């Protein structure tokens, strides 16, 4: 509302003007109380989301750790098969089977690497 010169208003106009001002003040107060309530709720939700974020990060870190452990285990198996193949006392069939197993291990390692890259996105 614009500033008014009360001296030029009649008593009824002043009362009306004051009632409008009181209504505006009441509306602003209600608006501010609602905003304050919203801020409190946002703050609560933010704290809740922070907890969710921390749990997700722990879960994510655990998944990455497991994938890295799988990768390490596959590497060890591959190295073991390499050593096994180099030994003289195993048959040609065993060598063939070991090489097939190595191919399977390499494919599995590639899948794990893809999984790790997807997790990093």
């Amino acid at each position: 509302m614009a500033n008014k010169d009360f001296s030029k208003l009649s008593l009824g106009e002043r009362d009306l003007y004051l009632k409008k001002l009181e209504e505006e003040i009441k509306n602003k107060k209600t608006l501010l109380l609602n905003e304050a309530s919203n801020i409190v709720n946002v703050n609560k939700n933010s704290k809740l989301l922070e907890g969710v974020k921390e749990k997700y990060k722990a879960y994510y870190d655990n998944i990455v750790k497991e994938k890295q452990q799988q990768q390490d285990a596959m590497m060890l198996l591959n190295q073991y098969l390499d050593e096994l193949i180099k030994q003289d006392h195993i048959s040609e069939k065993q060598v063939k089977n070991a090489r097939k197993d190595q191919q399977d291990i390499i494919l599995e390692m590639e899948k794990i690497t893809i999984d790790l890259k997807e997790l990093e996105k």
Side-chain angles (χ1 to χ4, degrees):
M1 291 199 157
N3 291 336
K4 295 213 176 205
D5 186 3
F6 283 115
S7 62
K8 295 180 181 178
L9 297 177
S10 70
L11 191 56
E13 289 173 327
R14 281 188 221 164
D15 286 345
L16 207 78
Y17 183 73
L18 289 174
K19 283 186 181 187
K20 287 181 183 180
L21 281 177
E22 286 175 357
E23 188 64 31
E24 276 190 45
I25 290 170
K26 180 182 170 189
N27 290 340
K28 289 284 184 181
K29 184 177 179 181
T30 301
L31 178 72
L32 290 173
L33 288 173
N34 287 339
E35 288 298 317
S37 177
N38 288 341
I39 290 171
V40 168
N41 288 335
V42 166
N43 192 26
K44 285 179 186 176
N45 289 338
S46 177
K47 287 178 184 175
L48 175 67
L49 291 176
E50 187 63 33
V52 170
K53 178 184 158 194
E54 288 173 12
K55 287 178 183 177
Y56 176 77
K57 173 118 175 63
Y59 172 77
Y60 169 82
D61 291 344
N62 190 40
I63 295 290
V64 169
K65 182 180 174 184
E66 285 178 7
K67 290 291 180 185
Q68 289 171 337
Q69 288 173 341
Q70 288 175 355
Q71 188 84 332
D72 292 344
M74 292 293 164
M75 217 179 265
L76 284 174
L77 284 172
N78 197 31
Q79 289 172 355
Y80 171 75
L81 289 173
D82 266 344
E83 292 172 16
L84 190 63
I85 290 170
K86 291 176 186 174
Q87 293 180 1
D88 291 334
H89 67 278
I90 63 170
S91 71
E92 194 60 37
K93 184 177 181 178
Q94 289 172 324
V95 169
K96 187 177 177 181
N97 286 338
R99 289 195 194 280
K100 171 71 172 108
D101 288 343
Q102 278 186 311
Q103 289 175 348
D104 292 343
I105 288 170
I106 290 170
L107 288 174
E108 189 62 32
M109 288 173 67
E110 288 172 358
K111 289 178 188 176
I112 293 169
T113 301
I114 290 169
D115 288 347
L116 282 169
K117 285 181 182 179
E118 286 178 3
L119 286 170
E120 291 173 358
K121 290 181 182 179

